[in-house]
């Protein structure tokens, strides 16, 4: 009779440092996207619009980012990993500065995990983020049926989540796609190709607003 060593039971906890980093990244990304789409240098008349864009970004961009990272953390913990999000403050500063000149480069941080893990498990942790963004896009979809603010939230939520999923599936560097590509190129293609096609469609034919 053989015995297997079982991993310790997963436990989803957050340190005060992690919660602080998540909050800072959430707020900073929301402000950066608002600066990109509602530049405040045009005058005081646009300050109100900028404030509205911060709120809109908070419930679309911010939620997309937050749940993407939490999905990584939850799956990593299920595989017995020690996992925590850490903000990259230099990249958050760059996000604000780039948004001010009409560009946006956002790499707010990442969930770092450690422990014994297989290549497949690492790929599953990576896939959790983009798959979550696809599910969020589906959740935002019904809101597009409503006029006014709800419709705008729905449209922006779909746009942001599909774009974030496609970007993170690029098989390069620290992006999620690289781990999936290294594990199984077929599964990578199965997720990457639809992600790119959907993102391209919403950019070309749906738009942000």
């Amino acid at each position: 009779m053989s015995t297997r060593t079982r991993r310790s039971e997963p436990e989803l906890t957050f340190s005060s440092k992690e919660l602080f980093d998540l909050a800072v990244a959430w707020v900073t990304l929301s402000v950066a996207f608002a600066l990109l789409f509602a530049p405040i240098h045009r005058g005081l008349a646009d300050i109100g619009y900028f404030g509205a864009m911060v709120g809109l970004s908070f419930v679309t961009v911010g939620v997309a980012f937050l749940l993407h990272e939490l999905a990584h953390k939850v799956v990593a913990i299920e595989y017995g990993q020690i996992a925590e999000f850490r903000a990259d403050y230099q990249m958050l500063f760059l996000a604000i500065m780039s948004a001010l000149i009409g560009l946006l480069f956002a790499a707010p941080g990442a969930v770092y995990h450690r422990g014994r893990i297989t290549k497949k498990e690492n790929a599953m942790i990576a896939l959790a983020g983009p798959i979550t963004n696809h599910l969020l896009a589906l959740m935002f979809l019904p809101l597009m049926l409503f006029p006014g603010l709800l419709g705008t939230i729905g449209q922006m939520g779909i746009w942001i989540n599909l774009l974030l999923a496609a970007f993170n599936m690029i098989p390069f560097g620290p992006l999620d796609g690289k781990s999936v590509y290294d594990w199984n190129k077929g599964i990578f293609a199965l997720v990457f190709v639809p992600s790119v096609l959907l993102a391209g469609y919403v950019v070309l034919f749906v738009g942000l607003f």
Side-chain angles (χ1 to χ4, degrees), residues 80-92:
Q81 300 286 285
I82 298 172
E84 281 207 2
F85 175 81
R86 285 292 179 265
D88 187 327
Y89 287 89
Q90 290 182 332
M91 296 307 296
L92 288 173

Side-chain angles (χ1 to χ4, degrees), residues 110-191:
V111 169
Y112 296 94
H113 56 89
R114 66 182 186 271
R116 296 181 61 185
I117 198 169
T118 66
K119 186 176 286 189
K120 178 182 178 180
E121 289 170 343
N122 194 47
M124 293 300 101
I125 294 169
L127 271 176
I131 294 300
T132 295
N133 290 127
H134 279 293
L135 293 175
L136 283 170
L138 282 175
M139 292 177 66
F140 276 107
L141 184 60
L143 295 180
M144 288 188 65
L145 299 176
F146 295 90
L149 180 60
L150 284 179
T152 301
I153 291 174
Q155 190 168 340
M156 188 171 177
I158 292 170
W159 194 90
I160 289 297
N161 276 287
L162 292 181
L163 219 61
L164 189 58
F167 173 76
N168 276 281
M169 281 304 298
I170 295 172
F172 177 78
L175 295 175
D176 299 328
K178 184 66 166 60
S179 296
V180 182
Y181 182 85
D182 289 344
W183 166 60
N184 188 307
K185 294 176 176 57
I187 299 297
F188 165 78
L190 193 63
V191 179

Side-chain angles (χ1 to χ4, degrees), residues 26-51:
W26 189 352
V27 172
T28 304
L29 278 183
S30 300
V31 172
F33 271 86
L35 285 170
L36 182 66
F37 298 118
I40 59 175
H41 59 74
R42 294 178 182 174
L44 292 176
D46 287 336
I47 295 297
Y49 180 60
F50 170 72

Side-chain angles (χ1 to χ4, degrees), residues 46-93:
D46 287 336
I47 295 297
Y49 180 60
F50 170 72
M53 280 303 304
V54 171
L56 186 59
S57 296
F58 197 78
V59 298
T60 54
V61 178
V63 168
F65 147 75
L66 181 67
L67 295 186
H68 177 105
E69 297 300 335
L70 289 181
H72 287 317
K73 179 182 175 76
V74 168
V75 176
I77 290 174
E78 285 296 320
Y79 285 128
Q81 300 286 285
I82 298 172
E84 281 207 2
F85 175 81
R86 285 292 179 265
D88 187 327
Y89 287 89
Q90 290 182 332
M91 296 307 296
L92 288 173
F93 177 76

